[in-house]
Amino acid sequence: MKITRLAVAFGLLLAIAACGDDDATTTTTTSTSAATTTTHAATTTEGPTTTGATTTTEAPTTTTVATTGRFLTTADHPEHGEILVDQDGFTLYLFLPDDQGTPTCAGTCALTWPPFEDGDVAAGAGINPSLLGTVDHPDGMVQVTYNGWPLYHYTPDLASGDARGQGIGGNWWVVSPDGDPVMS
């Protein structure tokens, strides 16, 4: 009987503590085991709370960040800073003559600069989903765009992190997370 009363009293204390007032502060709880790390966050009406790589806000919007399949993401390049890459870490480029519109690198040009083709490409970490789109490529495929720029790979980039196409002909540039050419 004493144990039951203690359990009920403890349960009531937890319930009262959880109810709190509207001016409560944000609470973050992290528990770690050998195999997994779990982060729990409670938010208030006072604005966003950031825990790890997840941001929770009062607004009922949900952003899904792709981590499997085909997706566009960012990587920190040692020479060019934060740039766009595909799901395998291969650098993506824009071509200035495309002028944020129709792809102009087609035919033999596309053999060296293959279009980043659409295959239900999703937004990964660091990507603004509202800047992600597609455009019909002159060679008959659908090409991924970012901030209106058609995106391309460069065939001499043999490993993730390579950016051998940077600045070629003064027209080929890696792309910033804002969707602008990185001309450095």
Side-chain angles (χ1 to χ4, degrees):
M1 184 91 152
K2 246 184 182 180
I3 293 175
T4 305
R5 286 184 190 162
L6 281 173
V8 170
F10 183 70
L12 285 173
L13 279 174
L14 286 176
I16 291 169
C19 291
D21 65 338
D22 290 332
D23 291 34
T25 59
T26 301
T27 304
T28 303
T29 306
T30 304
S31 60
T32 306
S33 70
T36 62
T37 300
T38 306
T39 302
H40 304 280
T43 60
T44 66
T45 57
E46 295 176 12
T49 301
T50 303
T51 58
T54 304
T55 300
T56 307
T57 63
E58 177 182 325
T61 59
T62 303
T63 301
T64 303
V65 176
T67 57
T68 60
R70 295 196 60 211
F71 59 93
L72 187 66
T73 190
T74 61
D76 188 23
H77 192 275
E79 294 176 42
H80 310 299
E82 200 74 15
I83 62 171
L84 299 188
V85 297
D86 69 10
Q87 68 281 348
D88 297 318
F90 281 89
T91 303
L92 293 165
Y93 300 86
L94 59 76
F95 187 46
L96 288 181
D98 289 350
D99 197 31
Q100 290 179 293
T102 303
T104 58
C105 178
T108 56
C109 175
L111 296 175
T112 303
W113 298 93
F116 183 43
E117 293 184 56
D118 184 36
D120 295 322
V121 174
I127 298 300
N128 180 341
S130 69
L131 297 179
L132 190 58
T134 60
V135 66
D136 291 331
H137 188 274
D139 291 342
M141 65 195 74
V142 176
Q143 186 172 3
V144 176
T145 63
Y146 194 73
N147 193 26
W149 290 102
L151 299 176
Y152 300 86
H153 286 104
Y154 183 52
T155 55
D157 285 348
L158 302 177
S160 65
D162 286 351
R164 295 179 177 154
Q166 176 69 350
I168 289 184
N171 285 316
W172 293 97
W173 302 100
V174 296
V175 186
S176 75
D178 293 332
D180 298 320
V182 177
M183 297 181 175
S184 61

